[in-house]
Amino acid sequence: MLIPHPLLGLRDAQEFTYLGDAALIDRPDPAAGEDAFCDYVFLRDNPAGVHRELWYHEQGDRSWLVVTRNTLTHEILGAELARDVALARREGRA
Amino acid sequence: MTFSGFRVIREALTGHKGWTPLWRDPDPQPSYDIVIVGGGGHGLATAYHLAAVFGQARVAVLEKGYLGSGNIGRNTTIIRSNYLLPGNQPFYEFSMKLWERMEQDLNFNAMVSQRGILNLLHTDAQRDAYRRRGNAMLLSGADAELLDQAGVRRMYPWLNFDNARFPIKGGLLQRRAGTARHDGVAWGYARAADQRGVDIIQNCEVTGFRIEGGRVLGVETTRGYIGAGKVGVAAAGSSSRVMALAGLRLPIESHVLQAFVSEGLKPVIDGVITFGAGHFYVSQSDKGGLVFGGDIDGYNSYAQRGNLPVFEDVLEGGMALMPRIGRARLLRAWGGVMDMSMDGSPIIDRTPVEGLYLNAGWCYGGFKATPASGYAFAHLLATDTPHETATAYRLDRFARGHVIDEKGVGATPNLH
Ligand SMILES: Cc1cc2nc3c(=O)[nH]c(=O)nc-3n(C[C@H](O)[C@H](O)[C@H](O)COP(=O)(O)OP(=O)(O)OC[C@H]3O[C@@H](n4cnc5c(N)ncnc54)[C@H](O)[C@@H]3O)c2cc1C
């Protein structure tokens, strides 16, 4: 698989390590309580189809990406800097 | 139809015209006492034990494809009980004991072969860890032997003992471990369950659950609605998809694991060997092919096929361990989708929906568990109490902090 890195162009997926569902960006508020953190740490949607997920460019520029990929076909539909995604979400919430 | 040596000879002399299908192909009835979703090894073993041990007569297994099309027909067939943790090891040893009598119980040749598994060790720290693991195995009633380098040399003199980075210093041997014919296991359980009245319904995908007042009443399928007193889901890599139909999210990610087989060779490896430095394991099938594998690809996948970087990684592991494998040609590679759980251990439990039960999270190690998983799930479905070896496999263990994390890597499914 080739990941279209927003800054570096197409990069081999092998250069990255994988963390999983991009929902992990949305860490619950510390006051949210144990149940919210338990869901956050352990439960996943695990969809068959389009999945937004976190990849870390460990053997590259060490940035975190949010990659949109189809888990049924492995087709990669896009990649963004996780930083941009997180900032946009924060603005959306504010 | 009972199988016997006499029967084989008689059929050989009469042109093999007397064999009949191993199980019926019934249409679904309007309702059953217990419906099992998923006709893989675990679903079929559950149905068999429900009928044979717990006296349940009205049981159906619903399989969306053909029987054996999932991981039961895709795995590398290793059976063993060499785990460490108290929640796991007694269960896997129970499974090993069931393997030892399975062919007699089922009257079916599943080619169970106790050819031994040798886990190689390469450092002093690994020797300590394996000594501890071996002791845990002995405590559970399993067998274990710690070999020094000379002991390993006697078994496999051609291994790469003097690898500069990962010299082989010994190994943990379980002689009762080995391999079994994977699809034979599915066929054997299917036939034995069918003989005891279980309906095995293929090409029947579960597309929804009928739930009223928090209780499951039956399942919607591609072959119509089927009512059920209880529903047990054993859908392996598809667990999250199936349970989402009941509104549940699971502590599971689906990942692809690949396996490889070489061209047929003369006998070279009479047991199972695992490399302790990279992830590589190998055995030789009765047809002569070297069957081997390694790590999962490491990203969510439902594709039943993987990518080339893992090919390279697995084959490099093989070359480091046994350089002569480089002369063999690769014949085939394939992938299967596994339900990787958040602690690397399985779930056999009730769910928040009354009457709905879950058997999931087997990761890359559920083949060896097939008999015990079927037994324990049948026990739970029939008696509403967990089997004594499966009490730790609770769905709520993550919330309670009672994870069973053999590798100690935390909630990162692709590292288990
Ligand atoms: C390459 C590979 C190598 C492996 N090697 C080993 C090994 O050496 N040792 C070991 O112990 N384990 C091994 N495993 C793991 C082992 O194969 C699995 O853990 C185990 O087979 C899973 O249980 P099962 O047999 O019931 O799964 P499956 O055979 O996958 O059964 C699940 C069934 O559910 C069906 N299903 C899914 N959704 C629905 C639906 N909606 N309706 C109806 N049916 C549905 C599927 O079609 C499938 O047939 C390996 C796995 C792979 C992929």
Side-chain angles (χ1 to χ4, degrees), chain A residues 1 12 14 18-21 38-39 41-48 51 53 55 69 71-74, chain B residues 240-241 249-255 298-303 305 307 309 312 342 398-399 403 411 414:
Chain A
M1 293 188 294
D12 192 327
Q14 224 187 333
Y18 178 82
L19 188 66
D21 196 320
C38 180
D39 287 4
V41 172
F42 293 116
L43 300 189
R44 300 287 184 271
D45 287 340
N46 194 20
H51 190 223
E53 52 200 26
W55 292 75
R69 194 176 57 92
T71 60
L72 283 164
T73 60
H74 297 163
Chain B
S240 296
R241 293 174 82 178
R249 286 172 85 216
L250 299 182
I252 283 175
E253 279 178 7
S254 294
H255 284 260
Y299 42 81
N300 286 46
S301 173
Y302 286 93
R305 64 187 146 73
N307 275 298
E312 201 172 6
M342 287 290 161
F398 302 92
V403 294
N414 61 350

Side-chain angles (χ1 to χ4, degrees), chain B residues 144-164:
Chain B
E145 286 166 55
L146 194 64
L147 301 186
D148 59 9
Q149 196 200 56
V152 176
R153 266 189 206 274
R154 270 195 296 279
M155 290 182 75
Y156 299 111
W158 41 263
L159 287 172
N160 190 5
F161 285 88
D162 303 318
N163 182 309

